[in-house]
């Protein structure tokens, strides 16, 4: 949807987010109009302060369709990949650590509990005039709805007034 509206979107780039946070230099992130997926959900308060015109779109869903290993094997496999230098596994571990801390999510129910707690935190603390919360399982996320929410922001606005969009 964001690409269709002309936004330059970065999807799942935890290494850029980590580096920006560590160096307190957000130039690399400012090169995009929109940031999507983990670990943005975990660091949105920092980014909302860094980018005062930012808008936050939180997508929720009824079923997260993830695979979990009850014995934590998936987390172990990712850690082994990091030791071997697998860039994809390193990015996954980094995003998981930023989002969940040291928790290794081992069930759908546990993931849903964490995601619901996160959504409640956004509802309570994100500025309501800069936040859109939509359940993508129910078809609430439409180009028209996002376009109305982002009216006055983004690529069609002068660069000095351009806002970051965090999803």
């Amino acid at each position: 949807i964001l690409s269709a509206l002309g936004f330059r979107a970065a999807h799942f780039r935890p290494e850029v987010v980590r580096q920006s946070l560590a160096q307190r230099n957000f130039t690399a992130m400012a090169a995009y109009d929109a940031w999507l997926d983990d670990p943005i959900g975990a660091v949105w308060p920092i980014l909302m302060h860094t980018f005062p015109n930012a808008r936050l779109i939180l997508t929720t869903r009824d079923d997260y369709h993830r695979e979990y290993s009850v014995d934590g094997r998936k987390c172990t496999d990712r850690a082994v990949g990091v030791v071997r230098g697998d860039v994809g596994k390193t990015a996954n571990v980094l995003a998981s650590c930023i989002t969940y801390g040291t928790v290794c999510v081992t069930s759908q129910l546990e993931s849903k509990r964490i995601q619901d707690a996160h959504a409640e935190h956004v509802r309570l603390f994100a500025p309501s005039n800069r936040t859109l919360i939509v359940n993508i399982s129910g078809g609430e996320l439409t180009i028209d709805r996002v376009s109305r929410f982002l009216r006055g922001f983004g690529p069609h606005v002068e660069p000095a007034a351009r806002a970051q969009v965090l999803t």
Side-chain angles (χ1 to χ4, degrees):
I1 289 176
L2 294 171
S3 295
L5 292 172
F7 286 87
R8 293 167 299 163
H11 183 257
F12 193 69
R13 303 278 311 274
E15 68 286 353
V16 175
V17 176
R18 186 207 61 78
Q19 184 175 17
S20 296
L21 291 168
Q23 296 176 354
R24 292 183 171 84
N25 180 341
F26 295 87
T27 305
M29 292 186 74
Y32 294 90
D33 302 307
W35 282 82
L36 300 97
D37 215 339
D38 289 338
I40 298 302
V43 298
W44 67 266
I46 295 168
L47 298 176
M48 293 289 274
H49 287 288
T50 303
F51 300 103
N53 293 322
R55 296 287 177 112
L56 174 66
I57 301 172
L58 174 65
T59 56
T60 63
R61 59 187 80 198
D62 298 328
D63 183 357
Y64 285 89
H65 303 292
R66 303 283 194 250
E67 293 180 24
Y68 304 96
S69 56
V70 287
D71 61 359
R73 190 184 80 255
K74 189 172 182 180
C75 292
T76 303
D77 291 347
R78 283 184 177 175
V80 169
V82 170
V83 171
R84 290 185 190 148
D86 180 325
V87 173
K89 289 192 190 274
T90 302
N92 280 331
V93 168
L94 179 58
S96 293
C97 287
I98 292 173
T99 303
Y100 299 110
T102 57
V103 173
C104 182
V105 179
T106 57
S107 73
Q108 178 84 10
L109 185 61
E110 186 178 8
S111 177
K112 179 82 169 117
R113 181 186 57 75
I114 291 170
Q115 297 295 337
D116 287 349
H118 172 69
E120 183 61 20
H121 181 79
V122 171
R123 281 184 191 91
L124 290 172
F125 297 105
S128 60
N129 64 331
R130 295 170 51 199
T131 305
L132 173 65
I133 301 174
V134 292
N135 183 330
I136 63 175
S137 300
E140 296 176 15
L141 187 64
T142 65
I143 194 165
D144 184 54
R145 187 166 184 195
V146 172
S147 178
R148 281 193 319 268
F149 175 68
L150 297 176
R151 191 163 287 132
F153 292 86
H156 55 281
V157 177
E158 292 299 317
R162 185 175 289 157
Q164 296 294 312
V165 179
L166 316 169
T167 62

